[in-house]
Amino acid sequence: MRSGPESARALIGRLASVFTELPDPEVASGSGRLGWGDVPAAAGCSSGGPLDRAGHDDTSTTATTTHDRSSHTDTPTTAHDGPLGWPGYDDQLAQATERTGERESVVCGIAEIGRVTAMVVAFEFGFFGGSLGTRTGARIEQAFERARALRLPVVSLVRTGGSRMQEGTPALLQLQRIARQLVLTREAGLPHIAVLRDPTTGGGWATLGAGADVALGIRGAQVGFAGSRVRPPGYSVTQQFAAGLVDQLVPPDELRVRLERWLRLLTPAELEPAAVPAALGCAELPDTGWDAVQRARAPDRPRAAAYLAAYFDWHEPISGDRCGGVDSGVLCGFGQRSGTTIAYAAQCGTATRPAGFRTAARLVRLADRLGIPVLTLVDTPGAANDAAAEKAGVGAAIADMFTAVAAARVPVTTLVIGEGGSGGALAFAAPGRLWVTPDSYLAVISPELAAAILKRDPSRVRDTADQLRLRPQDLVELGIARGVARPRER
């Protein structure tokens, strides 16, 4: 029997061609049928050995072992009715097992999803509402550890109501345990994709869900820290997407295809610099600086969406800055070009808002961690400078993007495809790997504002544009750009 529209195993069966379940860590350790696993003594507990209550390394003594931590957790590994001795909890567990066929609220194993082998952590909502208990934490921890040992990406199929009440604070501590695994997996350079099912609430959302590299939300799902019983009505995945906290909304029947694509994108085989895109607009260089500005501002000039469509065989977007903001004027994601994965961050010709810089910086850092080259497309009159942008920290957001590009170990390739206005444009630009199109420019500031700052008459704007030497050919001559991209020969 199952609870809800689809059990964990049914979903795995729909997504994977092959699935091999991991052995239960409790059975493997011989801790007994109702063992409660190891409750972490501290959030920073390393894998080298247990810590005592004062945080001192206790590996030099023989009194405490990894299977007997009652001296510092006060929780026997064979506790009756769970770590709190909750009356009737053992019976409730037995009933949950009889109802679902599962021994815990997560099913973990190695799956073949499309062309990629991945570690899967799937929540079974029929087992205590997919809640996190101490044994749940042990299973998730084992799955992430095994993924790192085998160099596998992790897919979390999240469907949970939060932490398990019958286990109290020991259950809550599993969030620290899971967070540690997320950190170690990031440090190992392995991707983690979360699928947010209905519902994804509490600590499951605040760790595996919101902490994933890419979050795919199933349309119609309740997703939020507070569930519907805590703060009705529940927060929807659509609202989380609008707030920049979910990357994509996915219809249930499209999940397998979308997941296969993402796994292919985030597990690249090689690292080569992104090729410079061919120019899509004018082929001739502008005669004057003002001509360059006018061309870049032309409403019919090809924009970022056209460049991405021409450049990639297919691509998948990410969305949002994970801080509550989305900028529709910046397109970010990963694409395939001739079998190679390339990350992209592209300005769309509007003033870039703080959320746009932060989303792009998130993209660059993720690509850098996974060893994926980056392509940036510059096209903005400049950073947004209204009161709302200042309040949202536009200066700090620009700095975030500057430092993300500067710190990147993977090659970043930049093409200026339109306006290149001041620091808002330069933040997207790669030092030493910048190209320009014939209908683009890059300047310290727009000619109009430069004339105003210099207290010149407005009639001198055109002269100022020439003096700024902002034309594509000027940028090459000045050593700012490496070359002018040309249209593809037909």
Side-chain angles (χ1 to χ4, degrees):
M1 182 181 299
R2 69 185 186 185
S3 174
E6 192 168 32
S7 69
R9 290 185 189 274
L11 178 58
I12 293 171
R14 182 162 64 86
L15 300 177
S17 57
V18 178
F19 178 72
T20 303
E21 187 173 0
L22 294 181
D24 194 313
E26 295 159 6
V27 173
S29 66
S31 60
R33 183 178 70 86
L34 289 179
W36 300 104
D38 296 326
V39 180
C45 182
S46 68
S47 59
L51 301 178
D52 64 18
R53 286 186 174 182
H56 302 118
D57 191 340
D58 198 32
T59 55
S60 61
T61 70
T62 58
T64 304
T65 70
T66 57
H67 299 309
D68 179 16
R69 299 187 180 180
S70 59
S71 63
H72 58 273
T73 63
D74 297 328
T75 303
T77 59
T78 57
H80 178 65
D81 282 333
L84 301 184
W86 189 281
Y89 184 37
D90 286 357
D91 292 337
Q92 291 177 310
L93 287 169
Q95 292 168 9
T97 295
E98 181 179 0
R99 184 169 58 250
T100 64
E102 306 295 347
R103 295 187 65 250
E104 248 308 325
S105 59
V106 289
V107 177
C108 303
I110 299 172
E112 298 292 331
I113 302 177
R115 306 177 188 177
V116 178
T117 302
M119 180 64 67
V120 170
V121 176
F123 280 73
E124 174 52 64
F125 194 75
F127 196 100
F128 281 84
S131 59
L132 290 160
T134 53
R135 297 191 309 187
T136 322
R139 287 192 174 194
I140 294 173
E141 181 178 62
Q142 176 186 248
F144 275 84
E145 288 175 344
R146 189 65 177 152
R148 291 195 298 276
L150 297 175
R151 301 295 302 168
L152 299 179
V154 180
V155 176
S156 294
L157 306 173
V158 189
R159 189 175 180 221
T160 173
S163 299
R164 195 168 301 170
M165 299 299 99
Q166 293 87 341
E167 296 188 27
T169 304
L172 184 66
L173 293 182
Q174 302 312 300
L175 304 183
Q176 296 175 328
R177 191 178 195 177
I178 293 169
R180 177 63 175 163
Q181 293 306 310
L182 297 180
V183 170
L184 293 174
T185 302
R186 289 174 186 170
E187 291 176 348
L190 296 171
H192 174 211
I193 302 170
V195 177
L196 313 176
R197 302 155 66 205
D198 185 29
T200 296
T201 61
W205 163 237
T207 52
L208 292 170
D213 297 319
V214 174
L216 307 179
I218 300 299
R219 287 188 178 274
Q222 177 192 168
V223 176
F225 187 65
S228 58
R229 293 189 180 184
V230 176
R231 183 191 52 79
Y235 213 64
S236 75
V237 70
T238 303
Q239 291 169 300
Q240 299 287 5
F241 176 74
L245 301 170
V246 172
D247 287 300
Q248 291 185 0
L249 299 178
V250 181
D253 57 354
E254 293 182 14
L255 178 58
R256 178 170 180 167
V257 172
R258 200 70 62 86
L259 196 54
E260 288 178 356
R261 286 162 67 103
W262 272 111
L263 285 169
R264 286 177 61 189
L265 287 170
L266 299 186
T267 53
E270 58 186 32
L271 173 62
E272 295 290 341
V276 180
L280 299 181
C282 295
E284 300 80 19
L285 293 171
D287 293 328
T288 68
W290 187 245
D291 287 340
V293 172
Q294 292 295 90
R295 280 192 191 181
R297 293 176 179 175
D300 58 348
R301 173 182 53 79
R303 306 284 168 156
Y307 273 90
L308 296 176
Y311 187 78
F312 289 114
D313 301 324
W314 54 272
H315 59 284
E316 292 285 346
I318 66 169
S319 179
D321 63 0
R322 295 296 188 269
C323 299
V326 175
D327 181 0
S328 60
V330 173
L331 302 178
C332 294
F334 295 83
Q336 283 256 315
R337 176 181 168 88
S338 301
T340 300
T341 297
I342 298 169
Y344 63 87
Q347 294 169 314
C348 298
T350 58
T352 303
R353 306 205 65 81
F357 291 110
R358 293 191 179 105
T359 303
R362 176 168 77 92
L363 180 282
V364 172
R365 291 193 177 100
L366 175 57
D368 187 53
R369 180 156 52 79
L370 300 179
I372 297 172
V374 179
L375 170 69
T376 61
L377 302 180
V378 172
D379 186 8
T380 179
N385 57 11
D386 54 27
E390 294 290 359
K391 185 176 180 180
V394 65
I398 295 172
D400 194 33
M401 184 57 178
F402 266 121
T403 54
V405 172
R409 296 160 295 182
V410 296
V412 181
T413 301
T414 299
L415 179 64
V416 185
I417 63 172
E419 289 196 83
S422 195
L426 192 64
F428 275 66
R433 289 192 56 82
L434 182 144
W435 282 261
V436 288
T437 62
D439 47 5
S440 70
Y441 77 87
L442 180 65
V444 64
I445 200 168
S446 72
E448 295 92 338
L449 292 178
I453 290 171
L454 296 173
K455 299 181 179 179
R456 291 181 172 180
D457 188 272
S459 63
R460 296 192 60 191
V461 167
R462 297 189 178 204
D463 294 338
T464 303
D466 286 332
Q467 289 179 294
L468 288 172
R469 299 201 64 190
L470 47 72
R471 298 177 305 167
Q473 59 266 45
D474 294 328
L475 298 172
V476 174
E477 185 177 331
L478 291 169
I480 297 168
R482 293 179 64 169
V484 178
R486 296 296 185 177
R488 183 179 291 111
E489 293 184 2
R490 298 178 181 178

